Amino acid sequence: MLSEEPRRRRWWVHPIVSQRLQKGQFHTVYFDLRHNPEKFQGYCRMSVATFDILLASLRSGLTFQDTTMRRSISPEERLLLTLRFLATGNSFASLHYEYLLGISTISGIVCHTCQLIWQRLREAVMPTPTADDWLQIADGFYQSSQFPNCIGALDGKHIRVKKPPHSGSQYFNYKQYFSIVLLALVDSNYRFIIVDIGAYGSTADARIFCSSRMGERLRANQLALPEPRRLPGSSASAAPFVIVADEGFALSPHVMRAFPRRNLDDRKRIFNYRLSRARRYVECAFGILSNKWRVFMSSLQMSPQNATLVIQACVILHNFTRIHDVPSEPEVAPFPTTTSVGLDHNPQGRPGSAGLAVRELFADYFISPEGALSWQLNSIRGTRR
């Protein structure tokens, strides 16, 4: 059998792509956008000043050497292209016609820039919390949601992805699509404190949390949590610092979940109401993240490894823009009304007595004169005006 000759390339550079410096979107609109701050904000999802700070942090990693064969793509164009992809979710093929760059070139730029954003900025915008940091987070939750000793709201978000080849049902979640999971702990400013990214969509949030580094360190008492302290105005025993979560997570001394929905009296309903007021911050943070970085509005057409890089970059950019830009999104969302469907049972079995005792301590405090809110009883009975 005769061997086939290798396919010969028709062009070294396609004639359309060769016009990038004259007609590419970066070269035609970038400088005009910089003179129109509102348009720049809509295009990049950040202000000109924030873009410049971000570019300065990444420039050395985005700068490549020119060769005798071709000029390298500038750091400004690489960053603008990546932000446009994250802000719109446009396919690489669509960006190819806008920026007049090869599809494989765009893919390489986006993945490299996302990885660089995570590596260069993670310690600056999402540092490992210290005991003082936890105390500031707890004070923020108490001021905004009146839930004392709360160090974060915990939940998972399914990020839709294309089915990876030969993966079976590993990525198929209870919502009937393929996904990887973003598990996040959020503060009262809607910033991500700790994240775990990349778990299979078929895995329940509770199991992801138990096997994550965050869960392991919490069980081993290695998160540098402050010592327990009394609840404001209370003379009862000191309460530990806790994370608020939904019914999909196991109850423990440091993780609070709502009382079961059956046989609820007013005391338990008030606890559930107060817990939902604190827990909504993680739901709102996910909403702000998806609304700003609309790559999450559709399925990520890439491997799970590259999808993880995109999620990591968006998490960092979310915190980065909340630090450097004045938030413009509506940040008050209704209290969570959804129920937990399709979640695994508690992987650690029935809740231990220590977790039950802590929940009872908070429930008693929320109906005491020191901890009660004037409107909470009307709220649980549906009579609040």
Side-chain angles (χ1 to χ4, degrees), residues 326-337:
V326 177
S328 58
E329 309 91 345
E331 298 182 339
V332 178
F335 296 143
T337 56

Side-chain angles (χ1 to χ4, degrees), residues 14-240:
H14 194 281
I16 294 179
V17 176
S18 65
Q19 302 178 66
R20 178 174 66 89
L21 298 179
Q22 294 76 37
K23 299 182 179 180
Q25 193 168 107
F26 172 80
H27 298 278
T28 57
V29 305
Y30 173 66
F31 295 102
D32 291 336
L33 286 173
R34 289 186 65 90
H35 291 92
N36 294 272
E38 291 184 3
K39 296 295 184 181
F40 192 96
Q41 178 86 33
Y43 191 89
C44 295
R45 299 297 193 268
M46 62 180 63
S47 66
V48 177
T50 302
F51 178 87
D52 290 340
I53 296 171
L54 179 61
L55 180 63
S57 302
L58 305 177
R59 182 178 290 278
S60 61
L62 296 177
T63 302
F64 294 85
Q65 186 176 4
D66 293 337
T67 68
T68 56
M69 301 295 294
R70 63 182 63 180
R71 292 172 55 184
S72 64
I73 301 171
S74 68
E76 291 84 355
E77 186 169 3
R78 289 173 177 271
L79 182 57
L80 194 76
L81 170 64
T82 302
L83 293 177
R84 190 58 181 166
F85 168 72
L86 299 178
T88 64
N90 288 350
S91 67
F92 293 155
S94 175
L95 294 172
H96 159 69
Y97 292 105
E98 296 173 7
Y99 282 81
L100 302 184
L101 289 165
I103 295 176
S104 60
T105 302
I106 292 174
S107 175
I109 289 173
V110 168
C111 292
H112 172 259
T113 307
C114 287
Q115 185 177 32
L116 193 66
I117 289 171
W118 174 261
Q119 293 173 347
R120 293 283 180 90
L121 300 177
R122 182 171 61 88
E123 289 298 328
V125 303
M126 198 170 62
T128 302
T130 63
D132 290 339
D133 294 330
W134 290 124
L135 288 173
Q136 291 180 9
I137 292 169
D139 291 342
F141 269 103
Y142 184 63
Q143 293 173 8
S144 60
S145 64
Q146 293 77 51
F147 198 108
N149 286 23
C150 178
I151 57 170
L154 177 70
D155 204 0
K157 176 177 175 60
H158 287 271
I159 308 297
R160 191 186 296 263
V161 297
K162 180 180 68 173
K163 180 184 182 298
H166 315 297
S167 62
S169 61
Q170 285 180 321
Y171 292 89
F172 196 69
N173 64 34
Y174 71 94
K175 298 181 179 181
Q176 308 299 307
Y177 60 81
F178 296 94
S179 67
I180 59 178
V181 179
L182 163 61
L183 185 73
L185 186 68
V186 173
D187 67 14
S188 61
N189 292 318
Y190 309 101
R191 296 179 191 170
F192 295 104
I193 307 169
I194 303 175
V195 296
D196 184 272
I197 303 170
Y200 296 137
S202 61
T203 309
D205 291 346
R207 294 188 183 275
I208 298 171
F209 178 66
C210 287
S211 60
S212 68
R213 187 181 177 191
M214 172 172 47
E216 292 174 352
R217 293 182 65 189
L218 181 64
R219 290 194 300 274
N221 197 26
Q222 296 177 349
L223 282 181
L225 297 183
E227 292 296 320
R229 68 180 181 184
R230 289 181 176 176
L231 302 179
S234 173
S235 59
S237 58

Side-chain angles (χ1 to χ4, degrees), residues 321-355:
T321 54
R322 293 196 68 79
I323 292 171
H324 294 283
D325 282 341
V326 177
S328 58
E329 309 91 345
E331 298 182 339
V332 178
F335 296 143
T337 56
T338 58
T339 57
S340 299
V341 180
L343 295 171
D344 288 356
H345 294 295
N346 181 353
Q348 298 178 342
R350 297 180 64 85
S353 58

